[in-house]
Amino acid sequence: MDVTDFPDDLVQTQAACNATYQALAASRPRDTTALRRRLLLLSVRLWWHPYWETIPSVSAARSELRQLARARGAVQAA
């Protein structure tokens, strides 16, 4: 699968989900309720995004999306 196939909003949502999860996993996070709610909202958006209806192998694509979002996050942090 070509990584350019992912819509920008889907990649951005995955990146936001990763960032929220990292904030929640941090030592003594602030406002955990808001972080959990945000993580739930982002997870729902990821799960039900219309893009998943257009591809044959959803599980492989989800994995690739997570890897892409992590890689972009690492590049932006550097």
Side-chain angles (χ1 to χ4, degrees):
M1 170 176 275
D2 186 10
V3 294
T4 59
D5 290 339
F6 294 116
D8 288 335
D9 67 321
L10 187 59
V11 176
Q12 291 170 356
T13 303
Q14 180 65 56
C17 191
N18 292 349
T20 304
Y21 186 81
Q22 288 175 347
L24 191 57
S27 176
R28 304 178 91 179
R30 293 184 182 264
D31 204 6
T32 56
T33 301
L35 288 171
R36 287 179 181 157
R37 286 180 181 157
R38 179 163 171 75
L39 187 61
L40 181 59
L41 173 70
L42 292 168
S43 296
V44 168
R45 285 182 185 168
L46 283 171
W47 188 262
W48 294 107
H49 194 281
Y51 173 75
W52 304 123
E53 296 175 9
T54 65
I55 57 170
S57 179
V58 174
S59 60
R62 287 185 194 275
S63 178
E64 187 174 343
L65 175 63
R66 284 190 297 272
Q67 291 174 0
L68 174 65
R70 278 190 213 117
R72 285 189 181 177
V75 167
Q76 290 175 352

